[in-house]
Every structure is written in C-alpha cells, then in structure tokens.
Amino acid sequence: MVMLGWKAGPEQYDPVELLSQAVAAEKAGFESINMSDHFHPWDEAGQACYTWSWLGAAAARLNGIEVGTGVTCPILRYNPSIIAQAAATIERLNKGNVYLGVGTGEALNEYPVTGVWPDYRMRQDMMRESIELMRALWTSDTITFDGEYYTAKKAKLYTAPERPIPIYVSSLVPESAFFAGYYGDGLITGANPPEVMHQILKNFEEGARESGKDPWQMPKQVEFFVAWTDDEDAAIDAYKQYWAGTMVFAMYTQNLYTPAMSAANGAIAGRDTIRSHMCISKDPEEHARYAQRFIDAGFNRLSFHSPGPDQYEFIDGYGREVLPLVRERNKPRAEAVA
C-alpha cells in the first residue's frame, strides 16, 4: 500500500505557522508528516525551530496522522539515548504511528554546536552504534552499553514506547543504501535520476536480504519537490530563497556550516535546473503522473514537499485533486498486496 505524506518545512516557516499547516495537511487527507531536524536553515532568510518540541506540540493537536523525522542526526549534537527518549515520548503523545528517520547529518547543523565534523565513514559507524543503543533502550530494559562512541550505565527509559518505532535510514547515494537496508527498518531518500534511484533500491534490498529481512515488506520513502501553481517563476523563486542549498551535494559532505555558505553554494543552481527537479503545475494529472514514476520505481511512501508560493493552496489542492487520483490508480496494487 502506498502512503502519501506531507513534508513539513521548519527551515522555511516559523513553528506556529508550521503547526497550522500540519493540522490542514491532516484534514486534507495526507497520511504522514515528515519533519526535518535542523539547527541552521539552508538560507539566512529561513527558520529553524527545535523539531522535538514541535513534534510534541503537533502530537497534542493532531488526530491520528503518522509523524516522523526526515531526518534527525542522532550522533553529534545529540546523544542517541536522548533521541531514543524523545522519540519514545512522541510515540506516547501521538495518536498515530511514529517513525524515526536517521542520517549521518550535515555540517550545517552539527559543526556550529560541536566544532567537530568527522569523516563520513566515522559518522556512519557512529550511526550504526546509535541505532543499536536506541533499540536497546526502547525495550524498556535496564541496559549497560559499552560502545566505541557511546556508553550507557544501567540506563532505562521509564516512559518507553508502547508501539514499535521503526528506524528509517537515509541514503542519498547508492553507496550508502546497503547500510540502510542492513541496519534500518526502512529507507528514506530524495529524488534522483532514475538510474540512481534504481541503484539505491537495489543496494538497499541487498542489504536487507543480507540481514535476513524481506525488502518487499519494508517502507521505502522518497521526498520530492512539487508546486501547486501555474506561476512557475513564483515557485522557482520560493525554492531558490529557502532550499537551493539542498541541490549542492557538497552541503552533505563538506564542512559548510552556515546558512550563508549554503546560500552561496546554492546560488549556482539555475532556474532551468530547479525547474527540472520539480513538478510545477495546477493540473492534477501532471502531478499524479509525476508521483507515479516513484511508485513504479519501487517506492511505497511518498513525501510531497512544496516550498511555495502558497502552502495552504498546495495542501488543499493536493487533498482535493491529487491524492485521490494517486490512490485510485494504485488501488489494484494495494489490493494485490493485501
């Protein structure tokens, strides 16, 4: 069954506005909320509220929609034991399901508050250890953990989750997808050329099988940008203002740690390049076809991210015209799986 979710934008909107959007998204028929976890935004004009406070507020306002992080970095500015506690608390507050999306992070969020930025292999190894520690704590047992990076002595979550919290591991390139399949309960990635996405899924499935899991039963989530408007210039302007840094791969690998650095790197993204990475239209058929390409590739969770120009118009238009179309076209698929 395909799950259709809304990508919240804490790097663009203040937390009060974002909460109103989340309520609207649930009412419109989105089934899941994907919330990123940033200390710095991608641009000086942006916002960066504390994700875990916001998720608690959202859980108190929402009525059963799933919520999760897309993604949090549990290894540098955080101790994974604290992320385990935070996720467990959100699970107890939220009427719907909760998932934890994790990744190795960006210097944009980690370096400003730690002054360190280890190489990728070390960060990946730290994340592997953090996943092990968080899962141990979620059992509600008292645990002692002696890892290479993290230590716990007779630690116990006295407010433990009542339902399992699946961990979805981020993979933006094929080289990290085997790790995501091996250690994760699911995958989170972003839109890439079809051949790259095919290789990400292939490597993810190989990692899952190697660890004894069935990849066909695992969540595979993809985030991508859309704009519900015929004003192409306004949509591209909104993207360039707040999100252009996301298009520069160096932002995920190099020690680029201020919004000004992000904006300077994102400035190289031309309007034609941005246009090619988004579906900008008010034609529900065009949006449904755009979504279907990801479903046909093998993804079973879609996270729609609209940078503008009007978030409520996007939420309403998608809820009224696009989500029903995507669901109807994939009903036979869902029935066959059931």
Side-chain angles (χ1 to χ4, degrees):
M1 183 175 179
V2 177
M3 179 172 281
L4 307 178
W6 173 69
K7 174 73 174 182
E11 301 94 321
Q12 182 172 356
Y13 298 101
D14 82 19
V16 176
E17 171 63 18
L18 201 65
L19 189 55
S20 295
Q21 294 172 5
V23 171
E26 183 178 41
K27 288 180 179 177
F30 288 92
E31 300 162 287
S32 181
I33 292 175
N34 171 341
M35 175 77 166
S36 54
D37 184 0
H38 271 233
F39 183 79
H40 276 168
W42 298 101
D43 189 275
E44 291 282 355
Q47 297 274 334
C49 69
Y50 183 50
T51 286
W52 294 101
S53 296
W54 188 89
L55 284 171
R61 285 281 303 275
L62 299 168
N63 293 301
I65 192 171
E66 176 193 73
V67 300
T69 53
V71 295
T72 196
C73 176
I75 61 172
L76 292 169
R77 66 190 154 115
Y78 292 128
N79 183 296
S81 296
I82 301 305
I83 296 299
Q85 183 184 34
T89 300
I90 300 302
E91 188 281 324
R92 295 288 289 270
L93 287 169
N94 199 52
K95 298 179 182 70
N97 291 327
V98 172
Y99 69 89
L100 179 66
V102 298
T104 53
E106 301 100 23
L108 185 69
N109 305 305
E110 310 308 321
Y111 186 80
V113 295
T114 66
V116 298
W117 184 240
D119 65 38
Y120 175 74
R121 288 301 173 192
M122 179 178 286
R123 299 198 322 271
Q124 189 180 62
D125 201 41
M126 292 173 74
M127 188 165 68
R128 174 197 55 76
E129 194 171 287
S130 77
I131 290 170
E132 182 182 355
L133 175 54
M134 290 188 293
R135 284 177 173 153
L137 285 165
W138 286 336
T139 65
S140 77
D141 295 335
T142 299
I143 68 158
T144 292
F145 187 92
D146 292 305
E148 183 178 355
Y149 305 102
Y150 303 107
T151 300
K153 301 294 185 184
K154 294 186 180 299
K156 177 182 173 71
L157 287 184
Y158 284 84
T159 302
E162 294 181 336
R163 297 163 293 181
I165 301 176
I167 295 177
Y168 302 165
V169 176
S170 173
S171 173
L172 299 181
V173 294
E175 290 77 9
S176 61
F178 183 93
F179 178 97
Y182 193 92
Y183 292 104
D185 302 307
L187 169 72
I188 294 183
T189 190
N192 272 299
E195 63 276 12
V196 175
M197 305 204 77
H198 171 77
Q199 194 61 49
I200 287 173
L201 284 172
K202 181 175 182 292
N203 292 356
F204 173 81
E205 291 164 3
E206 288 176 358
R209 291 192 190 95
E210 184 73 18
S211 64
K213 292 172 286 197
D214 180 0
W216 299 107
Q217 301 299 317
M218 297 174 73
K220 294 175 279 289
Q221 180 165 301
V222 58
E223 306 173 7
F224 51 91
F225 287 97
V226 298
W228 181 253
T229 180
D230 287 326
D231 190 340
E232 184 174 297
D233 286 339
I236 293 173
D237 287 343
Y239 181 93
K240 280 187 71 69
Q241 177 68 83
Y242 296 102
W243 303 99
T246 66
M247 296 191 70
V248 181
F249 193 67
M251 291 303 303
Y252 304 97
T253 59
Q254 304 301 311
N255 190 11
L256 301 170
Y257 59 91
T258 70
M261 291 176 178
S262 172
N265 279 270
I268 67 171
R271 300 182 76 83
D272 289 343
T273 301
I274 293 171
R275 177 65 183 87
S276 69
H277 281 76
M278 297 176 67
C279 180
I280 304 173
S281 175
K282 256 199 168 177
D283 179 356
E285 285 284 344
E286 190 171 347
H287 281 274
R289 285 195 300 269
Y290 192 75
Q292 193 65 42
R293 60 190 267 195
F294 298 103
I295 297 170
D296 291 343
F299 292 95
N300 52 24
R301 297 173 60 96
L302 308 186
S303 185
F304 300 96
H305 186 180
S306 178
D310 187 323
Q311 192 69 206
Y312 291 103
E313 187 175 10
F314 154 68
I315 288 170
D316 180 66
Y318 254 64
R320 187 180 63 253
E321 300 192 51
V322 180
L323 301 185
L325 200 56
V326 176
R327 290 188 180 111
E328 183 60 31
R329 290 181 178 175
N330 290 280
K331 185 189 272 186
R333 183 192 306 257
E335 291 172 348
V337 170

